[in-house]
Amino acid sequence: MVRCSTQAFGDSEEWTLRYFGNTREPHRHAYIGFDGAERVGMIRVKLLGSDTAVIHDFCVSPDIQGRGYGRDILMQTVRLMLSEGRTRIRLSVITENRSALELYRRIGFGIVSKSDYYICNLEAWR
């Protein structure tokens, strides 16, 4: 999970390990995609209430992207959420990630809201 995430999102392994450690909660689940014995990707889901799931931290190892693994992982996750009664499924994605947005659009998701995030250099405040 750490290697896939760092390669896909560009964060350091140390940061990713801390992030995963700080977001281990009973209502957050991680699923690993496999092709045989090979790990090909991962997806995390945060459950909100009884009917909502937020898909986030979704990645496929960069060296095997474009082979349909992402679509399969996402479709299986959506089917699982629906089988559990989750009728509201949201995606958390960086808006500049055009390939991810295209995948989501192709399988039926649409943009209904957008949030922009801002980063500040905290050293400038010291």
Side-chain angles (χ1 to χ4, degrees), residues 82-105:
L82 291 171
S83 75
E84 293 178 355
R86 309 282 171 184
T87 56
R88 296 173 44 138
I89 300 173
R90 300 187 331 219
L91 298 164
S92 176
V93 60
I94 295 172
T95 56
E96 290 82 21
N97 190 341
R98 297 286 176 219
S99 60
L101 292 171
E102 182 58 24
L103 169 62
Y104 302 148
R105 186 196 61 73

Side-chain angles (χ1 to χ4, degrees), residues 19 30 36 58 84 88 100 103 109 111 121 123:
Y19 169 69
F58 175 32
E84 293 178 355
R88 296 173 44 138
L103 169 62
F109 283 92
I111 298 171
N121 180 350
E123 292 300 317

Side-chain angles (χ1 to χ4, degrees), residues 18 35-36:
R18 275 194 315 275
D35 183 1

